[in-house]
Amino acid sequence: MLNVDTAIVEVALPSIERDMSVSLNALSWVANGYALAFGGFLLLGGRLGDLLGRRRVFTTGLLLFAAASLLGSLATSSAVLIAARAGQGLAAAVISPTALSLLMSVFPDDTPARAARRGKALAILGAFAATGGSAGYFLGGALCDVLGWPAVFVINVPLAAAAALCTLRLFPPAPRRTRRRGFGATGAVLVSAGMTLLVYVLVDANTAGWTRPRTLVLAALSAALLAAFLAVQRISAKPLVPLRLFTRPSFRGATAVALLSNAAIGPVIFFLSLYIQQILGFSPWAAGLALVPLIAAVTLSSSLAGICLRQYSQRAVMATGLAMFAVGLLWLGQLDGGAYAAQLLLPECMIGFGGGLVFVTFTVAGTSGQAEQDSGAASAVLTTAQKIGASVGLAVLTGIAGRSTASGPDPHDTAAVLRVDYGSAITWAAAPVLLALAATWAWISGHRPRAVQPPMPPATATREPELHE
């Protein structure tokens, strides 16, 4: 639901513009308001789940998301719609990391058998999340065509309500001891302000200019707030994000790969959707169907990732996925307006299959071995890295696309200009994937998982050290 909502509104923007007669600037904030609140408050949302009870915080976030979605569907002005999108983003910042930490608490990894079950659970979660992120493009087109743009908001209401009900029925309440601890108000304010400002700068820079004084000043202010946050975390007795998380190489590697891989996949789907509609002439619904092979490949490989991680090291699985991802991007970037089946189908499948392996593996690498009290913070850091990576990637690649035709085709040939723009952006998207491959080699574990031992009968318990050996 959350990943669908990131994409689904982008498809509905032309309909919203038509019905509300809003300016282009206001229209852009209908999409960006969600990312701004989501990315800015993720760390706070994850820590609240740790300290106030994950089930309670998760359920509250779902209900807030439903309420904000209902408000969006009833909006009659751009101001109300932008406020609704910001409300959705705030709720998502609570839901996303808390969902992952709830799963981690239900599936501990303190034994090889339990670690294997957690890997399988994370693979299932990854398959749904990846499918949702890609499906939003064609789902939004279908809903707009049949029911109108308010339907892209209304669809969230029953989904969020059903999820909240299931949460109350299926998950145990938080232990009493976790409900009345502080969480460091100073750190929460600093990181939320710094991250929100950072996302704003990244979203606004292509319009305002990357080297304009306004952009530079706001970027410097964001950096200062985040530096102050890190300083506070070092001396705080109750840090919002325990810096000990980053002492583990696998967590550093997982965070880097989460940021870099998402700097590629989100923007590529964005540009691919535009290319299919504007160059190949597909309708929004048909363009969504053209992305199904990529979605199916992500879903399939996410499901297989758990099996691979039981047989091979995290480094091997991650590196394989990143290599396929990079090759697929370089292949897909050679766009010349050819037929979809001949030019897009196979590279889409390669990108999707590699991406699914990567997404599951960095989640497993980043959450394995974390202390129970830190699981929400770890989840929030990983999710924040993904959102910031997607924002950075889209901003940078959009700038590259805009400048790629300076010495290219005839500027009066719109189709040729767009082909070069989109092809250049997709090709350059391979750069962060290759950087992620380097981070994988440096930080992700190359040890194969231990074999799962069958339970030992009491008579042989004295031989336990020999069996472990």
Side-chain angles (χ1 to χ4, degrees):
M1 181 179 67
L2 299 188
N3 287 353
V4 163
D5 222 67
T6 303
I8 195 171
V9 173
E10 293 182 9
V11 182
L13 289 178
S15 300
I16 294 172
E17 181 182 29
R18 239 184 354 260
D19 287 358
M20 291 189 173
S21 300
V22 298
S23 67
L24 184 61
N25 184 60
L27 191 68
S28 70
W29 280 106
V30 174
N32 294 337
Y34 182 75
L36 189 65
F38 197 166
F41 289 88
L42 264 168
L43 293 176
L44 177 58
R47 201 56 174 165
L48 286 175
D50 285 342
L51 301 177
L52 302 179
R54 294 170 191 139
R55 188 181 77 156
R56 172 189 294 179
V57 171
F58 184 68
T59 305
T60 302
L62 286 167
L63 296 177
L64 175 60
F65 195 89
S69 298
L70 183 60
L71 176 64
S73 71
L74 299 174
T76 56
S77 69
S78 61
V80 175
L81 192 56
I82 292 169
R85 289 291 283 166
Q88 286 182 315
L90 285 171
V94 172
I95 296 168
S96 185
T98 312
L100 186 55
S101 58
L102 274 172
L103 184 145
M104 290 163 60
S105 67
V106 173
F107 295 94
D109 65 346
D110 50 348
T111 68
R114 288 183 168 186
R117 291 184 71 231
R118 175 184 282 190
K120 182 177 180 180
L122 288 172
I124 295 171
L125 179 66
F128 274 90
T131 301
S134 301
Y137 288 101
F138 69 83
L139 181 59
L143 289 173
C144 284
D145 285 345
V146 177
L147 300 173
W149 68 261
V152 304
F153 292 94
V154 173
I155 191 175
N156 295 319
V157 178
L159 291 175
L165 179 62
C166 289
T167 302
L168 293 175
R169 292 178 61 88
L170 297 176
F171 288 95
R176 186 181 300 275
R177 60 180 175 81
T178 66
R179 291 187 171 178
R180 296 184 181 178
R181 295 169 52 197
F183 58 87
T186 302
V189 171
L190 287 172
V191 73
S192 296
M195 293 299 296
T196 301
L197 189 57
L198 176 61
V199 175
Y200 174 83
V201 170
L202 294 171
V203 168
D204 190 57
N206 274 329
T207 302
W210 286 92
T211 59
R212 303 283 295 190
R214 166 176 145 181
T215 300
L216 297 176
V217 168
L218 291 178
L221 178 58
S222 171
L225 288 169
L226 294 175
F229 165 72
L230 292 176
V232 168
Q233 299 309 286
R234 288 185 179 276
I235 62 174
S236 175
K238 299 173 181 178
L240 185 65
V241 177
L243 297 184
R244 60 180 174 270
L245 293 173
F246 293 93
T247 62
R248 297 177 58 245
S250 61
F251 185 77
R252 294 198 299 270
T255 303
V257 173
L259 187 147
L260 292 166
S261 61
N262 278 273
I265 188 64
V268 164
I269 293 175
F270 174 80
F271 288 116
L272 186 58
S273 178
L274 291 176
Y275 174 82
I276 292 171
Q277 293 184 60
Q278 295 178 349
I279 303 301
L280 300 186
F282 287 28
S283 69
W285 170 245
L289 292 178
L291 291 171
V292 167
L294 190 152
I295 299 166
V298 171
T299 304
L300 175 61
S301 63
S302 296
S303 303
L304 295 176
I307 299 173
C308 295
L309 288 169
R310 292 197 291 271
Q311 303 294 326
Y312 305 101
S313 69
Q314 294 173 359
R315 180 189 296 169
V317 178
M318 187 97 83
T320 300
L322 288 168
M324 295 181 66
F325 197 169
V327 171
L329 290 172
L330 294 173
W331 186 0
L332 185 64
Q334 309 307 307
L335 300 172
D336 62 7
Y340 166 81
Q343 194 167 70
L344 273 65
L345 181 58
L346 290 179
E348 271 191 37
C349 292
M350 182 170 286
I351 291 170
F353 199 90
L357 293 177
V358 171
F359 303 146
V360 173
T361 307
F362 74 61
T363 304
V364 173
T367 56
S368 297
Q370 296 289 1
E372 174 71 13
Q373 67 270 22
D374 293 337
S375 61
S379 303
V381 170
L382 288 174
T383 310
T384 299
Q386 295 177 64
K387 298 303 175 185
I388 296 301
S391 297
V392 172
L394 185 56
V396 172
L397 293 175
T398 299
I400 289 174
R403 288 190 289 269
S404 65
T405 53
S407 59
D410 180 355
H412 300 292
D413 187 348
T414 303
V417 169
L418 291 177
R419 282 200 303 271
V420 173
D421 281 350
Y422 299 155
S424 177
I426 293 172
T427 299
W428 275 101
V433 177
L434 294 175
L435 290 175
L437 187 58
T440 297
W441 212 258
W443 287 319
I444 299 299
S445 172
H447 297 294
R448 294 184 65 178
R450 290 185 300 164
V452 178
Q453 299 288 349
M456 291 180 297
T460 62
T462 56
R463 298 188 61 186
E464 183 177 358
E466 180 182 344
L467 290 175
H468 277 300
E469 183 180 10

